[in-house]
Amino acid sequence: DLRRQVMGSERRKPTGAELTKMQSLAEKAMQDGAWGMSTGLIYVPSSYADTSEITAIAKVVAGHGGIYASHIRGEGSGLLDSIREAIQIGQAADLPVHVSHFKSSGKQNWGQVRAAASLIEQARLKGQQVTADQYPYRASSTSLHASLIPAWARAGGRKAMLERFDDKEDGKRIRDAIQLKLKAAEGGKIIRIARCYKQEWVGKNLAAISESAGKPALQIVEIIERNGGAQVVKFNMSPEDIRYVMTLEWVATASDGRAYLPGADKPHPRSYGTFPRKISLFAQQEKVLSVGAAIRSATGLPAKILGIKDRGTIAPGFVADLVVLDPGTLADKATFDEPHQYCEGISYVLLGGEFSVYRGKATGALHGRAIEKPPKND
């Protein structure tokens, strides 16, 4: 995080020298083979960066033919303004824009993703490169504090945040803000703990924890934050929106997950099931999109978005990154209650022509490698 490297978690504009330093770091990263820059504008300290600051750094990235990928500033009531900001940054810096995890969050905002898609379509019709990605689930996942605690209260890190909780005026402002968000989250019913210090709370929603503990959900949130915080799963998306977004030809598939070792936590199942779920459930069974379109959204389209010219398609001279699957048995098995389950129906996976999965079992071979972006004139 360039801002964190240069400014820590401070909530302010950068000085001229600090902005120059961030630009210099971006320049070095692009020279070293980075594909572009990304922002997480709901997270501290990225949330403190304004449009002009982001644009100034994006112009450096554009000079190397890079891309701007953004977890946009808001996916709820601020969705349309956030999409406009991303498009504006792309226009001002003259580089491709990619919207991460395209969705409308919160029941009161369901359906708004269609208007957001229209904004992107309009930009694309004018010749701007704007794309997005999606994971095919009705829940998202992030930290508890990013979900419920206002950004101003998170400035300076956890210690500073807890000191604000202890301050009479700031503490009241924080608790009032959390209470409003809990109300919008149905009293905490749609927020489930995926990982925290108290194992018996893992897999339960805040409302249920509140009831069993005999304490208000607001107090449960504060207890968790004073004990290191938590990762949560939020059931905040419309099934209709999910199906609509995956039909858009410029939307790629992305898990927004990571590699897990099965454990006592209950993370979002997307880390295990994203790609087979889209192909099996939504393409083969529900026929929301074609199987070919579902596969393209996970292969050729991501390669095209990044400008990777030798992967993503099966063709002579391309790198042999291949997945061999059985359409009849392909299925995601991971659920929200039992997320640590591998998919079925993947027979072979080859990376660079070498087996990483053979007859459905991981070989243990480490054939993957980091792919560096070639210089702009290549």
Side-chain angles (χ1 to χ4, degrees):
D1 189 307
L2 298 181
R3 211 174 205 273
R4 191 179 298 279
Q5 285 186 59
V6 175
M7 302 172 61
S9 297
E10 294 185 37
R11 184 175 173 238
R12 61 174 175 81
K13 286 179 174 289
T15 64
E18 287 169 337
L19 181 57
T20 298
K21 178 65 174 176
M22 286 190 277
Q23 291 174 313
S24 175
L25 289 169
E27 175 76 25
K28 177 66 164 57
M30 296 305 296
Q31 291 174 354
D32 289 345
W35 290 86
M37 66 177 285
S38 65
T39 54
L41 299 181
I42 69 167
Y43 299 107
V44 170
S46 292
S47 59
Y48 305 143
D50 63 18
T51 306
S52 62
E53 177 184 330
I54 298 167
T55 302
I57 300 169
K59 287 179 178 179
V60 174
V61 173
H64 294 269
I67 187 171
Y68 172 64
S70 181
H71 191 305
I72 54 176
R73 206 172 290 277
E75 298 168 332
S77 59
L79 175 62
L80 299 185
D81 285 341
S82 298
I83 291 292
R84 291 188 186 102
E85 180 187 40
I87 291 171
Q88 179 186 338
I89 290 166
Q91 290 172 340
D94 191 24
L95 81 174
V97 172
H98 184 78
V99 178
S100 301
H101 332 317
F102 188 43
K103 58 182 174 290
S104 299
S105 295
K107 188 174 291 187
Q108 68 275 23
N109 304 304
W110 288 358
Q112 196 172 193
V113 74
R114 293 175 181 264
S118 179
L119 290 174
I120 293 175
E121 295 278 10
Q122 291 169 31
R124 288 172 58 84
L125 286 172
K126 293 176 183 177
Q128 189 174 354
Q129 294 183 58
V130 187
T131 54
D133 64 58
Q134 174 205 43
Y135 46 84
Y137 292 90
R138 61 192 175 94
S140 60
S141 182
T142 188
S143 64
L144 181 65
H145 64 252
S147 299
L148 295 176
I149 299 177
W152 66 265
R154 290 180 269 139
R158 180 171 297 278
K159 182 181 178 182
M161 180 186 76
L162 295 178
E163 287 173 354
R164 293 187 185 99
F165 265 102
D166 293 332
D167 179 85
K168 184 177 179 180
E169 291 185 7
D170 283 347
K172 184 180 186 305
R173 287 179 64 199
I174 294 170
R175 292 181 183 94
D176 286 348
I178 294 172
Q179 195 65 59
L180 280 175
K181 292 191 177 186
L182 282 171
K183 184 178 180 181
E186 301 176 26
K189 289 181 181 178
I190 68 170
I191 301 177
R192 182 187 294 192
I193 301 297
R195 182 174 63 252
C196 80
Y197 83 104
K198 204 174 186 72
Q199 183 58 38
E200 65 190 70
W201 289 352
V202 171
K204 297 178 180 177
N205 67 55
L206 288 175
I209 295 169
S210 170
E211 184 176 355
S212 64
K215 297 176 181 177
L218 173 61
Q219 189 175 347
I220 297 297
V221 171
E222 187 169 343
I223 289 170
I224 290 173
E225 288 302 330
R226 289 185 182 278
N227 286 276
Q231 191 75 11
V232 300
V233 174
K234 295 173 62 180
F235 295 85
N236 56 356
M237 285 182 274
S238 157
E240 289 73 25
D241 283 356
I242 294 165
R243 287 170 174 79
Y244 165 72
V245 167
M246 67 177 62
T247 66
L248 300 170
E249 58 93 17
W250 40 267
V251 173
T253 308
S255 70
D256 191 26
R258 64 180 178 86
Y260 275 96
L261 286 174
D265 59 344
K266 292 197 173 181
H268 197 300
R270 64 193 182 187
S271 291
Y272 288 88
T274 288
F275 299 95
R277 179 178 179 82
K278 189 166 182 179
I279 297 167
S280 176
L281 176 60
F282 291 105
Q284 288 186 299
Q285 297 177 42
E286 296 191 4
K287 303 189 186 306
V288 175
L289 71 171
S290 71
V291 172
I295 291 173
R296 171 185 171 271
S297 72
T299 55
L301 180 57
K304 182 179 180 182
I305 289 169
L306 284 175
I308 301 175
K309 298 178 180 179
D310 61 353
R311 288 170 171 79
T313 303
I314 299 174
F318 275 44
V319 175
D321 289 347
L322 303 168
V323 176
V324 181
L325 57 85
D326 180 352
T329 61
L330 182 67
D332 64 304
K333 307 302 291 184
T335 66
F336 289 103
D337 292 327
E338 298 294 339
H340 294 291
Q341 299 187 77
Y342 297 107
C343 66
E344 294 180 352
I346 303 291
S347 303
Y348 303 95
V349 175
L350 294 94
L351 294 177
E354 301 287 345
F355 285 106
S356 289
V357 173
Y358 186 83
R359 292 183 178 177
K361 301 294 183 183
T363 64
L366 303 176
H367 298 303
R369 65 179 181 85
I371 305 173
E372 295 181 7
K373 186 184 185 305
K376 186 177 180 180
N377 58 359
D378 274 20

